Amino acid sequence: MMSPLLGVLGGMGPAATADFLAKLAAHTPAQRDQDHLATIVYSDPTTPDRSDAILAGGENPLPAMFRGIAFLDEAGCDLIAIPCNTAHHWYDDLASATTVPVVHIVDAVAAQVEREAPEAKTLGLMATDGTVRAGIYDKVLAPSGRNVIDLTELGPDNPVMAGIRAVKAGALDGARDILTNAMRELVARGAEGIVYGCTDVSAVLEIPASGVSVPVWDAADALAIACVNRLRG
């Protein structure tokens, strides 16, 4: 009997998709290849930039994402994961385009925070400017009395965006240094916990985080755990 089939709407970006798959394997209880989840990945790195669409009226990425959702639906997937935080600005549209359940990445993070540090009320968000502007995390976290702080007011000097761009360009060591400094700045501003709210950040920073003493949650890691729990229950 074939195991439940996970569909991954990926390519946003490619390194983030590869990192999510590695985390999925790491969190799957397995003694042999056959114990792992069957997975189909639809990876289209030509999907228009999600932040550009939100912030500057750039090309709409939704048609490209709809094609991926349709592919995964037709492939017979039992669950769909989208390892891109900013893409969740269009979550309702994407979830409505299929009868297959789609895991919400921020719900997965929120569940971890509530379980592991319910007292943490101010979270430092390391995410794209598009994710921040769209309020993707605020909408989910605010009902539990949590607020989110970020570094977007720094504009072109925002180290989180600089680090994300470095990841996309393949400059991983430089990205790691930039993003670690961004974490320290968020803690200095009062963050009681840090969320890696961009899967490109997840691809280069570890948990526990180097240089900070507050708890850290990784959205890609949370999504992987949520998928394993849903399909292995």
Side-chain angles (χ1 to χ4, degrees):
M1 181 178 177
M2 186 174 179
S3 68
L5 181 59
L6 175 66
V8 179
L9 182 64
M12 304 175 285
T17 301
D19 176 67
F20 170 72
L21 293 173
K23 285 171 172 152
L24 185 70
H27 286 295
T28 303
Q31 299 296 320
R32 54 182 187 155
D33 291 348
Q34 292 76 17
D35 295 333
H36 284 273
L37 294 172
T39 307
I40 290 182
V41 180
Y42 181 94
S43 181
D44 180 9
T46 69
T47 302
D49 189 273
R50 282 67 59 201
S51 285
D52 282 351
I54 294 168
L55 298 171
E59 184 180 354
N60 185 0
L62 197 51
M65 292 192 287
F66 276 149
R67 288 193 293 272
I69 289 288
F71 176 89
L72 296 171
D73 192 318
E74 292 167 9
C77 294
D78 299 289
L79 188 70
I80 292 175
I82 308 172
C84 171
N85 288 263
T86 315
H88 284 70
H89 175 59
W90 296 273
Y91 175 85
D92 289 342
D93 295 311
L94 295 168
S96 296
T98 176
T99 58
V100 180
V102 181
V103 183
H104 197 300
I105 198 168
V106 187
D107 286 345
V109 173
Q112 278 198 335
V113 174
E114 185 61 35
R115 184 169 61 251
E116 297 172 8
E119 73 286 353
K121 298 302 182 183
T122 299
L123 302 179
L125 179 61
M126 301 178 67
T128 66
D129 288 350
T131 292
V132 173
R133 175 77 64 83
I136 296 166
Y137 274 81
D138 297 272
K139 292 170 187 173
V140 174
L141 293 171
S144 63
R146 293 186 170 85
N147 67 293
V148 173
I149 61 173
D150 56 76
L151 302 177
T152 53
E153 87 284 354
L154 297 176
D157 297 322
N158 181 357
V160 177
M161 283 304 301
I164 290 168
R165 285 191 293 268
V167 174
K168 291 184 181 298
L172 303 187
D173 289 339
R176 193 171 293 110
D177 292 340
I178 294 167
L179 293 168
T180 298
N181 288 333
M183 275 196 292
R184 292 182 180 129
E185 176 61 24
L186 286 165
V187 172
R189 292 185 180 206
E192 299 168 286
I194 298 290
V195 175
Y196 299 164
C198 173
T199 47
D200 282 316
V201 174
S202 304
V204 294
L205 292 184
E206 301 292 333
I207 295 178
S210 173
V212 300
S213 57
V214 299
V216 173
W217 295 277
D218 177 342
D221 207 58
L223 181 63
I225 292 169
C227 289
V228 171
N229 287 343
R230 288 278 291 272
L231 292 176
R232 285 293 172 82

mmCIF file of all heavy atoms in Angstrom, residues 104-111 135-146 148:
data_model
loop_
_atom_site.group_PDB
_atom_site.id
_atom_site.type_symbol
_atom_site.label_atom_id
_atom_site.label_comp_id
_atom_site.label_asym_id
_atom_site.label_seq_id
_atom_site.Cartn_x
_atom_site.Cartn_y
_atom_site.Cartn_z
ATOM 1 N N HIS A 104 -1.134 25.652 6.255
ATOM 2 C CA HIS A 104 -0.758 27.066 6.357
ATOM 3 C C HIS A 104 0.512 27.167 7.197
ATOM 4 O O HIS A 104 0.543 26.770 8.361
ATOM 5 C CB HIS A 104 -1.884 27.874 7.002
ATOM 6 C CG HIS A 104 -1.760 29.353 6.785
ATOM 7 N ND1 HIS A 104 -0.665 30.083 7.210
ATOM 8 C CD2 HIS A 104 -2.592 30.251 6.182
ATOM 9 C CE1 HIS A 104 -0.827 31.347 6.885
ATOM 10 N NE2 HIS A 104 -1.992 31.481 6.254
ATOM 11 N N ILE A 105 1.566 27.730 6.607
ATOM 12 C CA ILE A 105 2.868 27.748 7.265
ATOM 13 C C ILE A 105 2.849 28.540 8.573
ATOM 14 O O ILE A 105 3.513 28.174 9.544
ATOM 15 C CB ILE A 105 3.947 28.285 6.287
ATOM 16 C CG1 ILE A 105 5.349 27.923 6.768
ATOM 17 C CG2 ILE A 105 3.785 29.783 6.049
ATOM 18 C CD1 ILE A 105 6.429 28.166 5.719
ATOM 19 N N VAL A 106 2.061 29.627 8.623
ATOM 20 C CA VAL A 106 2.038 30.443 9.842
ATOM 21 C C VAL A 106 1.253 29.743 10.948
ATOM 22 O O VAL A 106 1.601 29.852 12.128
ATOM 23 C CB VAL A 106 1.487 31.849 9.566
ATOM 24 C CG1 VAL A 106 1.628 32.725 10.817
ATOM 25 C CG2 VAL A 106 2.225 32.503 8.403
ATOM 26 N N ASP A 107 0.215 29.006 10.595
ATOM 27 C CA ASP A 107 -0.482 28.194 11.595
ATOM 28 C C ASP A 107 0.485 27.203 12.238
ATOM 29 O O ASP A 107 0.428 26.955 13.454
ATOM 30 C CB ASP A 107 -1.642 27.426 10.952
ATOM 31 C CG ASP A 107 -2.826 28.316 10.615
ATOM 32 O OD1 ASP A 107 -2.890 29.456 11.117
ATOM 33 O OD2 ASP A 107 -3.685 27.872 9.837
ATOM 34 N N ALA A 108 1.362 26.636 11.419
ATOM 35 C CA ALA A 108 2.331 25.670 11.940
ATOM 36 C C ALA A 108 3.291 26.340 12.918
ATOM 37 O O ALA A 108 3.616 25.784 13.972
ATOM 38 C CB ALA A 108 3.102 25.032 10.781
ATOM 39 N N VAL A 109 3.752 27.540 12.581
ATOM 40 C CA VAL A 109 4.645 28.282 13.479
ATOM 41 C C VAL A 109 3.913 28.659 14.764
ATOM 42 O O VAL A 109 4.435 28.488 15.875
ATOM 43 C CB VAL A 109 5.187 29.549 12.788
ATOM 44 C CG1 VAL A 109 5.982 30.398 13.782
ATOM 45 C CG2 VAL A 109 6.057 29.183 11.604
ATOM 46 N N ALA A 110 2.706 29.191 14.633
ATOM 47 C CA ALA A 110 1.940 29.636 15.795
ATOM 48 C C ALA A 110 1.709 28.492 16.776
ATOM 49 O O ALA A 110 1.774 28.690 18.000
ATOM 50 C CB ALA A 110 0.611 30.235 15.347
ATOM 51 N N ALA A 111 1.447 27.304 16.248
ATOM 52 C CA ALA A 111 1.229 26.145 17.119
ATOM 53 C C ALA A 111 2.498 25.808 17.898
ATOM 54 O O ALA A 111 2.432 25.470 19.093
ATOM 55 C CB ALA A 111 0.783 24.947 16.284
ATOM 56 N N GLY A 135 0.993 41.428 6.286
ATOM 57 C CA GLY A 135 0.472 41.099 7.617
ATOM 58 C C GLY A 135 0.193 39.621 7.798
ATOM 59 O O GLY A 135 -0.660 39.239 8.620
ATOM 60 N N ILE A 136 0.895 38.781 7.074
ATOM 61 C CA ILE A 136 0.628 37.341 7.108
ATOM 62 C C ILE A 136 0.777 36.776 8.516
ATOM 63 O O ILE A 136 -0.039 35.956 8.971
ATOM 64 C CB ILE A 136 1.554 36.615 6.112
ATOM 65 C CG1 ILE A 136 1.250 37.067 4.684
ATOM 66 C CG2 ILE A 136 1.413 35.101 6.236
ATOM 67 C CD1 ILE A 136 2.319 36.666 3.677
ATOM 68 N N TYR A 137 1.811 37.202 9.236
ATOM 69 C CA TYR A 137 2.028 36.718 10.598
ATOM 70 C C TYR A 137 1.128 37.424 11.601
ATOM 71 O O TYR A 137 0.601 36.799 12.534
ATOM 72 C CB TYR A 137 3.510 36.845 10.982
ATOM 73 C CG TYR A 137 4.308 35.649 10.542
ATOM 74 C CD1 TYR A 137 4.747 35.530 9.228
ATOM 75 C CD2 TYR A 137 4.583 34.605 11.419
ATOM 76 C CE1 TYR A 137 5.454 34.414 8.801
ATOM 77 C CE2 TYR A 137 5.285 33.489 11.008
ATOM 78 C CZ TYR A 137 5.720 33.394 9.702
ATOM 79 O OH TYR A 137 6.397 32.279 9.290
ATOM 80 N N ASP A 138 0.948 38.727 11.440
ATOM 81 C CA ASP A 138 0.110 39.478 12.384
ATOM 82 C C ASP A 138 -1.296 38.892 12.456
ATOM 83 O O ASP A 138 -1.876 38.776 13.543
ATOM 84 C CB ASP A 138 0.030 40.945 11.955
ATOM 85 C CG ASP A 138 1.382 41.622 11.990
ATOM 86 O OD1 ASP A 138 1.750 42.148 13.044
ATOM 87 O OD2 ASP A 138 2.081 41.596 10.961
ATOM 88 N N LYS A 139 -1.864 38.539 11.306
ATOM 89 C CA LYS A 139 -3.247 38.051 11.270
ATOM 90 C C LYS A 139 -3.415 36.775 12.084
ATOM 91 O O LYS A 139 -4.465 36.550 12.697
ATOM 92 C CB LYS A 139 -3.662 37.798 9.820
ATOM 93 C CG LYS A 139 -3.791 39.066 8.974
ATOM 94 C CD LYS A 139 -3.970 38.721 7.506
ATOM 95 C CE LYS A 139 -3.932 39.966 6.633
ATOM 96 N NZ LYS A 139 -3.947 39.641 5.187
ATOM 97 N N VAL A 140 -2.391 35.938 12.088
ATOM 98 C CA VAL A 140 -2.493 34.666 12.803
ATOM 99 C C VAL A 140 -2.112 34.817 14.271
ATOM 100 O O VAL A 140 -2.731 34.202 15.155
ATOM 101 C CB VAL A 140 -1.599 33.610 12.120
ATOM 102 C CG1 VAL A 140 -1.576 32.306 12.923
ATOM 103 C CG2 VAL A 140 -2.085 33.338 10.698
ATOM 104 N N LEU A 141 -1.105 35.651 14.567
ATOM 105 C CA LEU A 141 -0.570 35.735 15.921
ATOM 106 C C LEU A 141 -1.320 36.712 16.815
ATOM 107 O O LEU A 141 -1.359 36.544 18.036
ATOM 108 C CB LEU A 141 0.912 36.120 15.863
ATOM 109 C CG LEU A 141 1.836 35.069 15.238
ATOM 110 C CD1 LEU A 141 3.232 35.642 15.044
ATOM 111 C CD2 LEU A 141 1.900 33.814 16.092
ATOM 112 N N ALA A 142 -1.907 37.752 16.234
ATOM 113 C CA ALA A 142 -2.572 38.776 17.050
ATOM 114 C C ALA A 142 -3.696 38.219 17.929
ATOM 115 O O ALA A 142 -3.824 38.634 19.098
ATOM 116 C CB ALA A 142 -3.103 39.895 16.160
ATOM 117 N N PRO A 143 -4.534 37.287 17.448
ATOM 118 C CA PRO A 143 -5.616 36.783 18.302
ATOM 119 C C PRO A 143 -5.135 36.120 19.598
ATOM 120 O O PRO A 143 -5.887 36.051 20.570
ATOM 121 C CB PRO A 143 -6.329 35.765 17.400
ATOM 122 C CG PRO A 143 -6.068 36.256 16.019
ATOM 123 C CD PRO A 143 -4.663 36.782 16.061
ATOM 124 N N SER A 144 -3.878 35.658 19.621
ATOM 125 C CA SER A 144 -3.338 35.047 20.841
ATOM 126 C C SER A 144 -2.597 36.070 21.696
ATOM 127 O O SER A 144 -1.914 35.702 22.659
ATOM 128 C CB SER A 144 -2.401 33.882 20.489
ATOM 129 O OG SER A 144 -1.280 34.347 19.746
ATOM 130 N N GLY A 145 -2.722 37.371 21.342
ATOM 131 C CA GLY A 145 -2.108 38.420 22.138
ATOM 132 C C GLY A 145 -0.648 38.659 21.842
ATOM 133 O O GLY A 145 0.049 39.318 22.625
ATOM 134 N N ARG A 146 -0.185 38.162 20.696
ATOM 135 C CA ARG A 146 1.221 38.353 20.336
ATOM 136 C C ARG A 146 1.371 39.481 19.319
ATOM 137 O O ARG A 146 0.494 39.695 18.490
ATOM 138 C CB ARG A 146 1.810 37.060 19.765
ATOM 139 C CG ARG A 146 1.901 35.958 20.803
ATOM 140 C CD ARG A 146 2.624 34.719 20.293
ATOM 141 N NE ARG A 146 2.878 33.819 21.409
ATOM 142 C CZ ARG A 146 1.992 32.935 21.857
ATOM 143 N NH1 ARG A 146 0.827 32.801 21.265
ATOM 144 N NH2 ARG A 146 2.281 32.176 22.897
ATOM 145 N N VAL A 148 4.270 41.421 16.565
ATOM 146 C CA VAL A 148 5.438 41.128 15.739
ATOM 147 C C VAL A 148 6.221 42.412 15.517
ATOM 148 O O VAL A 148 5.645 43.461 15.218
ATOM 149 C CB VAL A 148 4.991 40.541 14.382
ATOM 150 C CG1 VAL A 148 6.178 40.387 13.443
ATOM 151 C CG2 VAL A 148 4.305 39.202 14.591
#
